[in-house]
Amino acid sequence: MSGLAPRSRRALGRELTRLAQASVAESLAHSAQRPEPSMETARIGFTGAPGAGKSTLISRLAKLRLAACRDQGGVAILGIDPTSPLSGGSILGDRIRMDAIANEPELYIRSLASRSSNDGLADNVLDLLEAVESHGFHEVLMETVGVGQAEHAIRHSVDTLVMVLQPNAGDAIQAMKSGVLELADIYVINKADLPGAKKSASEIRGIVQRSQAAWRPPVIEVSQQHEEGLAKLDSAISEHLAWQAEHCNASETLRRRRHYHVQSLIVRRVSELLEHQPQLLDATSLAGAYADILQALGLDAGREA
């Protein structure tokens, strides 16, 4: 496939909208009709604090990735924007920031609201990824909200994880030193023409060099003034995907993704139950409320079986 035909593009858009809004029961029903994931589509995740320039970086990188796989299915971009916990609204701004590449026929861009998810991703994110993959894209680039410890969730959803940092990102570096964020496969110091970029890159390289992992993450400085850093990032992603294909167990990867998928569905289903049946919390003890919720979940499973 070379790009999505307009009709297929609209069909994918409707499918993603339906899945993004699906209840747990609807998500399970949809998954029963879908073939098992093939893992043929490469998933590349981008995380980092708001303001690090993830969307702009992805739009620039997508041009390079697209040039290499234009005849193999093209590239899809899923950008996740935060949903307000008060209003429930979301500013879906990724398409605005990616206008420069929005007209590429082999490129599909979709912004999604995080909705009830609080891990930097979106409700039913694995269903959304699998829906995109079913349309034959060669790669999917996914941007997280970037609101905190999102790296743990996206780590289970993608093949290659890129962490985007700004110069003088002291808080992130301190967190890395404590082992909290040592989950990325590639580190990018974005806006590397700003003061402090070299120092930040050096500090992160010092942390990475102490890692005992088989893959040692590169630290790449990228700026809009020079294309060299972007080309290095492009090469590093390809190198890591090739390394993953050679060294990682596909069955274990699928099991890890299934673990996250099932866990996220259970968490959401408990939230649905408590929203519609708040009396489940009226037991005389915490243990009693816990038992009542488990019983309600068991009744759910019995009805669906």
Side-chain angles (χ1 to χ4, degrees), residues 41-193:
T41 301
R43 299 178 179 183
I44 305 162
F46 295 80
T47 191
K54 297 187 295 294
S55 296
T56 302
L57 178 66
I58 291 171
S59 68
R60 295 176 64 207
L61 181 67
K63 286 186 177 181
L64 295 181
R65 307 299 296 175
L66 190 58
C69 65
R70 193 177 295 274
D71 297 325
Q72 299 172 278
V75 173
I77 300 174
L78 297 182
I80 300 173
D81 282 312
T83 297
S84 168
L86 299 179
S87 69
S90 179
I91 301 175
L92 303 178
D94 289 310
R95 289 200 63 130
I96 297 172
R97 293 188 291 271
M98 296 181 185
D99 271 351
I101 57 172
N103 293 323
E104 289 278 358
E106 292 84 11
L107 183 71
Y108 181 85
I109 306 173
R110 177 64 184 264
S111 290
L112 299 158
S114 60
R115 295 176 65 83
S116 67
S117 178
N118 58 9
D119 58 10
L121 301 180
D123 289 348
N124 301 324
V125 68
L126 290 181
D127 292 316
L128 296 167
L129 283 167
E130 290 172 12
V132 170
E133 291 168 351
S134 71
H135 282 74
F137 288 98
H138 184 69
E139 292 184 350
V140 180
L141 312 183
M142 185 168 71
E143 176 187 354
T144 71
V145 169
V147 292
Q149 309 307 323
E151 291 74 21
H152 292 278
I154 194 174
R155 173 72 278 171
H156 301 305
S157 307
V158 300
D159 302 303
T160 296
L161 178 57
V162 180
M163 182 178 289
V164 184
L165 301 167
Q166 298 186 77
N168 297 314
D171 290 345
I173 292 171
Q174 288 302 317
M176 287 173 61
K177 287 179 179 177
S178 66
V180 176
L181 301 186
E182 290 185 10
L183 295 171
D185 303 302
I186 300 167
Y187 293 98
V188 171
I189 305 298
N190 203 19
K191 308 177 185 178
D193 51 321

Side-chain angles (χ1 to χ4, degrees), residues 192-257:
D193 51 321
L194 296 179
K198 296 291 184 184
K199 182 175 183 291
S200 295
S202 177
E203 289 179 345
I204 296 172
R205 288 190 183 103
I207 297 167
V208 167
Q209 286 173 0
R210 296 196 295 269
S211 172
Q212 301 300 312
W215 168 266
R216 179 165 293 179
V219 181
I220 301 169
E221 299 168 50
V222 177
S223 76
Q224 287 193 308
Q225 310 303 319
H226 306 285
E227 294 298 315
E228 181 183 355
L230 191 69
K232 287 181 179 179
L233 173 58
D234 181 47
S235 296
I237 290 172
S238 295
E239 289 171 11
H240 183 260
L241 289 172
W243 183 89
Q244 278 275 86
E246 184 177 348
H247 292 88
C248 292
N249 184 299
S251 297
E252 180 58 33
T253 298
L254 287 171
R255 187 180 299 114
R256 193 168 61 245
R257 290 179 182 175

